Amino acid sequence: MTSQTVLIAAFSGRALAQSARRAGYVPLVVDAFGDLDMRAAAHAYRTIPDAMRTGFRAKPVLTALDDLVAASPSRPIGLVLGSGFEDKPRLWDILDKRYGVLGCNAETVRMCKDPRTFFPLLDQLGIAHPQTQMQPPEDASGWLTKQIGGSGGRHIRLATASSEAKPQRYFQRRLKGERISFSAVVADGIASDVTRQWSSPSPTEPMRYGGSVSLIWSGSPQELTMLYAVSELAGAFRLRGLVSFDFIVNGGDVSLLEINPRAGASLDAVDTIDGSRFKAHVMACHNGKLHYGTNTENHESRAAAILHADRGPLTLGKFDWPEWTADQGAPGTHVPLHAPLATILAEAATPDAAEALARARLAELETLIYETSKS
């Protein structure tokens, strides 16, 4: 066990903070929500409530992190970044120089997230991907428009005849199939967990992230194709630590959608009771060696699903959160329409059963929250 302090910054820092705490680290967290279970895991925290609306800005982030460093019981070993920074490589670089980012550097992030560099490299390596371009297609049907560096699917829109070219957006043909994610730790070797993901569409966000469930590695031709892509890109982009790779699988066809050069949304579904994924990330970044625990706690699949405020905006009331929930908002928290409300966790014997249980709990928690909160 360790008692080293570590900085964490993300739109939602709860999953990383809990994993760090399970691994024996002392987390200091900056995020946008300040949820109750994040506070319980963190030694200290700072909340930037406007971050989800405006994105992270340099001054508030630096001020919050400096405050945490000043209050830290020891010098932090570095900064782990979650979602919210991929569209800001300049800020990523500033944070790296000031606190030491444990993970990929800013140039790697830029190369991974810029479609003008990312997809041509995939072509060079023979890695399949959806047709992608910066200019609007002549016929917009079957196309999406995405924000460069966006996360969580909330930035994705259906392309229309009126969609225009913009510097920070690109166009990608929509593919049908199953969404499979490789959550990998990259060091002197590569170890991966495999999850299946699904969307939770809203009227304006057709690809909004809904959840994920862990899968057992089967060694299928499709999985081997994905593993080849992960291995090739780990070297090509000089990836380090926790990284997630999102694929679309349709029969025998495998296409890579994107790389998130950070811990992905599936951490809840793949981490272990001793926080082995967070520890492996830190070790990979510190000494370049792969330390990856196998999940031997049981043979069940784990699912994590996001509940959104789709019934309407509300102010959270006071109630007892079920033990199978995470990202638990404090009483009095205002949640806008379609914004994330909480995370549901579930375990079952198979991936399908775990996903079904998570979906049932989504309905149960939605009823509980809306019945005890103010519209």
Side-chain angles (χ1 to χ4, degrees):
M1 297 292 287
T2 177
S3 59
Q4 295 174 306
T5 55
V6 60
L7 294 165
I8 293 169
F11 278 148
S12 175
R14 187 270 314 162
L16 284 167
Q18 288 182 336
S19 184
R21 183 65 77 173
R22 289 194 294 267
Y25 296 94
V26 179
L28 310 167
V29 183
V30 174
D31 83 352
F33 295 100
D35 289 326
L36 297 174
D37 42 351
M38 181 279 287
R39 300 180 193 183
H43 173 78
Y45 69 92
R46 297 292 184 272
T47 303
I48 305 176
D50 288 340
M52 285 295 290
R53 181 177 59 85
T54 65
F56 281 118
R57 296 178 177 176
K59 186 175 180 179
V61 172
L62 295 172
T63 298
L65 288 170
D66 285 346
D67 285 349
L68 291 175
V69 170
S72 176
S74 63
R75 182 179 178 84
I77 60 173
L79 168 63
V80 176
L81 294 176
S83 63
F85 294 92
E86 302 97 312
D87 62 338
K88 294 178 171 59
R90 290 183 181 178
L91 176 56
W92 192 296
D93 191 47
I94 292 170
L95 295 172
D96 191 12
K97 291 175 180 177
R98 192 155 176 165
Y99 309 104
V101 169
L102 298 171
C104 300
N105 62 34
E107 178 60 17
T108 292
V109 173
R110 186 194 65 78
M111 291 178 65
C112 286
K113 305 312 290 187
D114 189 338
R116 291 158 292 201
T117 57
F118 181 66
F119 293 104
L121 180 57
L122 296 189
D123 290 333
Q124 293 176 26
L125 296 174
I127 297 172
H129 61 84
Q131 184 179 352
T132 305
Q133 58 195 52
M134 297 302 295
Q135 297 300 316
E138 292 185 6
D139 181 0
S141 60
W143 284 77
L144 302 169
T145 172
K146 300 183 175 183
Q147 177 184 327
I148 295 176
S151 60
R154 302 180 67 92
H155 62 99
I156 303 174
R157 302 288 185 268
L158 298 176
T160 66
S162 61
S163 297
E164 298 179 353
K166 296 181 179 180
Q168 292 304 310
R169 296 194 73 85
Y170 63 100
F171 296 87
Q172 190 172 78
R173 187 176 291 279
R174 186 174 185 176
L175 298 182
K176 295 181 179 179
E178 191 172 54
R179 293 195 59 148
I180 301 296
S181 179
F182 269 50
S183 177
V185 173
V186 181
D188 56 353
I190 300 174
S192 300
D193 294 293
V194 186
T195 60
R196 181 178 71 216
Q197 300 188 347
W198 63 88
S199 297
S200 175
S202 75
T204 59
E205 298 169 344
M207 305 301 293
R208 185 179 64 177
Y209 176 76
S212 61
V213 62
S214 61
L215 305 177
I216 296 175
W217 172 266
S218 67
S220 67
Q222 294 88 344
E223 287 180 341
L224 294 176
T225 298
M226 288 184 274
L227 185 59
Y228 165 79
V230 170
S231 301
E232 289 293 302
L233 293 168
F237 285 121
R238 293 177 293 177
L239 300 170
R240 184 65 70 195
L242 277 166
V243 181
S244 64
F245 301 77
D246 291 342
F247 297 89
I248 286 282
V249 179
N250 188 355
D253 296 330
V254 177
S255 297
L256 179 63
L257 297 178
E258 66 175 344
I259 297 175
N260 289 312
R262 54 165 175 81
S266 60
L267 183 60
D268 282 321
V270 302
D271 198 24
T272 58
I273 57 174
D274 58 353
S276 61
R277 293 346 183 214
F278 191 93
K279 183 176 181 180
H281 174 75
V282 173
M283 293 298 100
C285 298
H286 266 177
N287 59 30
K289 302 297 182 181
L290 187 63
H291 303 264
Y292 204 69
T294 302
N295 192 344
T296 59
E297 298 150 27
N298 54 52
H299 298 288
E300 293 192 327
S301 291
R302 281 190 282 177
I306 308 299
L307 176 65
H308 296 92
D310 291 342
R311 284 193 191 179
L314 73 158
T315 299
L316 290 177
K318 187 175 182 179
F319 58 91
D320 294 328
W321 287 91
E323 62 181 359
W324 37 262
T325 61
D327 300 317
Q328 301 164 354
T333 299
H334 176 72
V335 184
L337 177 65
H338 302 313
L341 266 175
T343 298
I344 283 80
L345 308 174
E347 292 188 8
T350 67
D352 288 346
E355 181 178 339
L357 179 57
R359 291 182 182 275
R361 286 177 171 174
L362 283 172
E364 181 180 343
L365 185 62
E366 183 180 56
T367 298
L368 172 64
I369 289 179
Y370 276 93
E371 286 183 350
T372 55
S373 302
K374 297 179 181 180
S375 299

